[in-house]
Amino acid sequence: MLTGLYAALCALLVFALSLRIALLRKRLRIGIGDGGDAGLARAIRAQANAIEYVPLVLVMLLIAENNGAGAVFLHACGAGLLVARVLHAIGLSGSAGVSFGRFWGILLTWAILLALGAQLLWGYVQAMRVV
């Protein structure tokens, strides 16, 4: 149930990032690729970066939820993922270089990825001890 909430919110984020690309393409009259436009290239990467991380983290979140992980942990991971991806998209949209949003967005994404991975591995180890 909790994963569904964060999947829906992340879907809205991906939609917003996709819509931004479509509007930029229309305004710049660029049908495919980035046409050498740096702003469009960054918008494409912001969307692609979300697509690279969001599905895996949501799958891990769902498995953790189905394994009985606590609601506070699940909400922290789900909300953290959403905040991280928004930060990263804002940071990348403003600059291709180092920025507050890019740095903290990816750092938080990696922290959530590692926390969920550790939680799932720990759950597996605990389950194997029972067998």
Side-chain angles (χ1 to χ4, degrees), residues 13-14 17-18 20-21 40-55 85 88-89 92 106:
L13 173 62
V14 169
L17 295 171
S18 300
R20 182 169 172 250
I21 293 168
L40 179 56
R42 288 193 310 272
I44 291 167
R45 278 308 310 151
Q47 182 222 32
N49 197 273
I51 296 300
E52 291 165 0
Y53 284 102
V54 167
R85 295 293 82 215
H88 189 270
L92 185 55
I106 197 61

Side-chain angles (χ1 to χ4, degrees), residues 35-120:
D37 184 86
L40 179 56
R42 288 193 310 272
I44 291 167
R45 278 308 310 151
Q47 182 222 32
N49 197 273
I51 296 300
E52 291 165 0
Y53 284 102
V54 167
L56 175 60
V57 174
L58 287 175
V59 166
M60 294 171 73
L61 192 68
L62 180 60
I63 295 168
E65 181 177 3
N66 287 340
N67 287 350
V72 171
F73 175 75
L74 295 170
H75 277 298
C77 290
L81 173 65
L82 188 62
V83 168
R85 295 293 82 215
V86 168
L87 279 173
H88 189 270
I90 290 169
L92 185 55
S93 295
S95 168
V98 177
S99 69
F100 176 89
R102 287 187 74 195
F103 178 81
W104 289 105
I106 197 61
L107 194 65
L108 184 54
T109 299
W110 288 346
I112 293 163
L113 193 64
L114 289 172
L116 281 165
Q119 197 275 344
L120 292 174

